Amino acid sequence: MIVGIDLGTTNSLCAVFQDGQPVIIPSSHGRSLTPSIVGVLDSGELLVGDAARDLRVTRPQHVASRFKRLMGTQETVSLHSKQLNAAELSSLVLKSLKQDAEAYLGEDVTDAVITVPAYFNELQRRATKLAGELAGLRVNRIINEPTAAALAYGFHDRDAEKNLLVIDLGGGTFDVTMMEVFEGTLEIIASAGESTLGGEDFTDRLLGHVLQTMQMHLESAEIRLPLMVSRLRDECERAKRQLGNVEQIDIRIPEDDGHFAESPRTVSITTALFSEIVQPLLERVRRPIARVLRDAGLSPDQVEDVILVGGATRMPVLKTCVREIFDQEPLCTHNPDEVVALGAAIQAALLSNDEAVQDIVMTDVCPFTLGVEITKHIGGHDVEGFFLPIIHRNTTLPVSAEEIVSTVRANQREVVIRVYQGEHRKIEGNLSLGELRVTGIPPAPAGVPIRIRFTYDLNGLLEVEALVDSTGRKFSTVLTNHAQHLSKKEIEDAVSKLQDLKFYPRDEVENQQLLRFSERVLGEISPQERQAFEEIIDSFEIAMASGDPSYFQQVRAFLLERLSELGFPHDSGEGSAE
């Protein structure tokens, strides 16, 4: 049995596709939400979920929460006498969900689709997959949370044709995804976000303000008075939730031991004050939204529907922020806490070829840019460590693309192609994914060209190829990253399918002939026409390396048309410029 799991910062959920519909699986406590909290008793017994949440108030040092933010790092959490990393802690939550699902379904649960924030990098996705494996699950697919939410909406509205924006603000992460919906197809256009922004931060801002009125600082108070801060955080969380329904609320101040006096001190918070307190967070919300609109090439008035996902989107201040940007009321027709898990279950049904979802087609994008390290000649010196993008962020998957690099020294016999993921100009700010060694380059002056091709699919398989034109030798490697759940045979099959993606018209003889013919024509036309025609030739070379069949055909047709206008029609043969 395969299930869909929303592994959240604050709460996690599990869903299954049954009788043509996605269904939330209740926990052993009868709730849809399982708190993503792990605790340990003095006896060493581990607690997960609701029991651990209750322990957090009375014995915060025995409890770990919000560890999703540590995914992909080497940091560990001290849990009583244990040291556990984020993947290990997450595996305990996943194991609890697995046990609840098996009790509900009456059969073994062996496979899962697990959601992650769209802006999770490869290390974070890999850690999520590891957590699933530690919980005894075979992770069939890692899917982006906004994509899962859109799947749930698209499943119930398959005939829609619109531009749809998903704003996903959970307990600890924030994602924005733009997509186009048409004829049962969900095409992701652009994604952005922050993996360290969520509802918990709004609670912490409110907590910090209350402590400030008491002449205390949050970090020092947590160390000196952990029980008081733990109880006060619960009070602030309650106040944050209620401020949507009331104009003012009194937050009770606990004593140093975490208990409330018979007549406790209070701090009054109005909705206007809360909005002022969290303005820096709302600015952080606005930035990824603006980035997605830029990447998608759309203005706010071109977005038909704005969908809110994640429990933190219930906050009125968030809804007001969204209304100000898009001048429309955001939609929340499905439970924002559950919609991602429901979408994960639909993705599981797609992987299982369930008849109920055969008419749904989904595309996704590469959330980060993929590229290689290069050397630049600056100020008379060769400077290493620069990043050359090959597949840009928000490129629709699957995709194949190419760039040309060259040797930097005379008689250079070897090149190490180092692959990175990220948006920084230099590799030191990006994430290393692996490398490919190119050897046997013949002795020659600096500048021997090497063509690098990236081919990337929805499973997370990245094939890296290097072609040395002067020798015809090809070098390649496959970086599986978060697709490591695939068997060797499945990887071989997936790599075979990648070959079908490759569209490299530069390799075709007729296109090389057309390029040479055009270059000869360039030497025969008038100087007034030369610059404009050379720009067309440049565009043709760029199109040959783009890997985009539609774009290439458009540019090729334009080049042929311009040749005819200049009086040099080109046929399918070598042609001449006489």
Side-chain angles (χ1 to χ4, degrees):
M1 172 62 71
I2 179 171
V3 296
I5 294 176
D6 174 7
L7 181 61
T9 305
T10 306
N11 294 293
S12 296
L13 303 86
C14 185
V16 66
F17 200 84
Q18 282 185 325
D19 302 323
Q21 295 288 332
V23 178
I24 295 293
I25 295 173
S27 70
S28 58
H29 296 270
R31 301 174 61 243
S32 62
L33 302 177
T34 294
S36 301
I37 303 173
V38 177
V40 61
L41 298 176
D42 289 333
S43 63
E45 180 185 356
L46 285 167
L47 302 177
V48 178
D50 290 286
R53 184 184 59 185
D54 295 339
L55 188 67
R56 182 173 62 177
V57 176
T58 58
R59 309 190 75 178
Q61 68 274 19
H62 286 234
V63 174
S65 61
R66 295 199 273 188
F67 39 81
K68 180 176 177 177
R69 290 187 169 182
L70 302 179
M71 287 295 241
T73 72
Q74 299 297 316
E75 291 187 50
T76 60
V77 176
S78 179
L79 196 59
H80 198 23
S81 60
K82 300 178 184 293
Q83 290 290 326
L84 299 172
N85 62 34
E88 292 168 332
L89 290 164
S90 296
S91 74
L92 297 172
V93 176
L94 290 171
K95 185 177 291 186
S96 176
L97 294 173
K98 179 178 184 289
Q99 291 169 348
D100 288 341
E102 289 174 338
Y104 176 81
L105 298 168
E107 60 180 289
D108 290 341
V109 171
T110 56
D111 296 58
V113 170
I114 302 178
T115 64
V116 295
Y119 227 55
F120 255 26
N121 63 32
E122 292 297 327
L123 290 180
Q124 292 167 311
R125 292 168 188 264
R126 208 176 301 172
T128 302
K129 174 186 170 294
L130 174 60
E133 292 175 341
L134 292 173
L137 292 166
R138 183 175 186 268
V139 183
N140 292 73
R141 178 71 60 85
I142 297 289
I143 180 176
N144 293 335
E145 289 165 3
T147 303
L151 261 178
Y153 274 86
F155 176 78
H156 295 286
D157 191 13
R158 304 189 198 190
D159 298 326
E161 292 191 14
K162 62 183 73 173
N163 290 323
L164 184 150
L165 187 83
V166 178
I167 293 177
D168 182 357
L169 184 64
T173 59
F174 176 55
D175 282 319
V176 186
T177 295
M178 178 73 72
M179 61 193 69
E180 183 181 2
V181 181
F182 58 93
E183 298 178 353
T185 298
L186 284 76
E187 182 174 343
I188 309 299
I189 301 174
S191 288
E194 278 198 45
S195 57
T196 57
L197 174 63
E200 301 266 8
D201 297 283
F202 286 77
T203 301
D204 284 350
R205 290 285 300 188
L206 182 55
L207 173 62
H209 172 81
V210 173
L211 288 172
Q212 191 174 17
T213 65
M214 302 162 57
Q215 308 297 315
M216 299 176 67
H217 191 267
L218 176 57
E219 283 74 16
S220 61
E222 284 184 311
I223 295 171
R224 293 190 298 108
L225 303 167
L227 294 176
M228 187 275 283
V229 172
S230 179
R231 182 75 71 177
L232 182 57
R233 179 176 273 112
D234 265 15
E235 281 286 296
C236 290
E237 176 66 24
R238 178 183 61 84
K240 181 189 74 174
R241 293 171 183 267
Q242 293 183 357
L243 277 170
N245 304 315
V246 298
E247 285 298 315
Q248 179 175 317
I249 193 167
D250 292 334
I251 296 177
R252 299 178 301 168
I253 308 299
E255 300 298 310
D256 291 354
D257 61 1
H259 293 94
F260 290 108
E262 189 171 328
S263 299
R265 296 171 294 168
T266 62
V267 174
S268 294
I269 302 292
T270 64
T271 53
L273 177 58
F274 180 65
S275 179
E276 181 182 330
I277 291 169
V278 300
Q279 274 306 310
L281 300 179
L282 294 175
E283 284 304 311
R284 289 171 62 189
V285 165
R286 290 174 181 272
R287 286 196 290 269
I289 293 175
R291 183 177 183 180
V292 160
L293 289 171
R294 284 196 304 271
D295 285 357
L298 296 173
S299 60
D301 60 3
Q302 291 176 293
V303 179
E304 280 88 350
D305 285 341
V306 180
I307 293 174
L308 299 183
V309 175
T313 57
R314 290 189 175 93
M315 293 185 297
V317 290
L318 190 281
K319 292 180 179 179
T320 299
C321 177
V322 172
R323 277 194 296 268
E324 290 172 351
I325 296 171
F326 295 96
D327 194 26
Q328 63 173 283
E329 192 67 29
L331 300 178
C332 196
T333 52
H334 294 288
N335 186 325
D337 289 317
E338 299 178 354
V339 66
V340 169
L342 293 172
I346 295 170
Q347 175 65 66
L350 284 167
L351 294 177
S352 302
N353 297 314
D354 194 296
E355 291 183 3
V357 295
Q358 284 185 351
D359 59 336
I360 295 179
V361 178
M362 185 192 73
T363 71
D364 213 335
V365 295
C366 185
F368 291 92
T369 299
L370 299 170
V372 297
E373 180 186 6
I374 59 169
T375 297
K376 288 187 176 183
H377 195 71
I378 299 176
H381 301 281
D382 289 334
V383 182
E384 299 178 344
F386 288 90
F387 182 60
L388 172 68
I390 294 181
I391 296 177
H392 290 270
R393 73 170 190 266
N394 290 322
T395 300
T396 300
L397 301 178
V399 65
S400 188
E402 174 187 284
E403 289 288 344
I404 298 177
V405 299
S406 61
T407 56
V408 295
R409 299 186 304 276
N411 302 320
Q412 185 174 343
R413 305 300 304 275
E414 182 178 284
V415 169
V416 178
I417 297 169
R418 297 185 174 91
V419 181
Y420 289 85
Q421 173 195 72
E423 311 303 327
H424 291 270
R425 178 170 173 256
K426 294 187 176 181
I427 60 160
E428 62 190 22
N430 296 329
L431 177 66
S432 174
L433 299 182
E435 63 181 43
L436 172 65
R437 192 172 296 273
V438 178
T439 60
I441 301 171
V448 175
I450 300 170
R451 282 190 272 164
I452 300 177
R453 296 178 177 178
F454 278 13
T455 308
Y456 194 55
D457 76 352
L458 285 166
N459 285 312
L461 283 170
L462 174 63
E463 183 184 38
V464 180
E465 291 180 295
L467 297 89
V468 183
D469 284 338
S470 58
T471 64
R473 292 188 65 188
K474 179 191 292 187
F475 301 81
S476 67
T477 186
V478 176
L479 305 179
T480 56
N481 301 314
H482 62 274
Q484 293 176 13
H485 63 274
L486 300 177
S487 67
K488 182 179 180 181
K489 176 66 166 57
E490 288 171 326
I491 290 177
E492 289 174 353
D493 290 343
V495 171
S496 178
K497 290 179 182 178
L498 289 180
Q499 312 316 309
D500 297 333
L501 295 174
K502 297 176 184 177
F503 177 78
Y504 290 105
R506 181 189 282 114
D507 297 343
E508 301 295 329
V509 173
E510 64 180 76
N511 293 322
Q512 288 291 341
Q513 291 174 347
L514 176 56
L515 178 60
R516 290 195 295 270
F517 178 80
S518 300
E519 290 171 340
R520 289 200 297 274
V521 169
L522 186 67
E524 299 190 20
I525 60 179
S526 68
Q528 292 78 15
E529 296 171 315
R530 181 182 175 101
Q531 181 177 349
F533 186 62
E534 186 168 5
E535 289 176 358
I536 297 173
I537 296 175
D538 290 344
S539 297
F540 182 62
E541 285 214 76
I542 292 171
M544 284 200 294
S546 71
D548 185 334
S550 176
Y551 173 58
F552 169 74
Q553 294 299 340
Q554 290 176 6
V555 175
R556 187 177 192 277
F558 183 61
L559 174 59
L560 291 171
E561 180 182 343
R562 186 63 183 135
L563 283 168
S564 295
E565 291 172 351
L566 292 170
F568 297 94
H570 177 75
D571 57 27
S572 58
E574 175 68 22
S576 67
E578 298 177 359

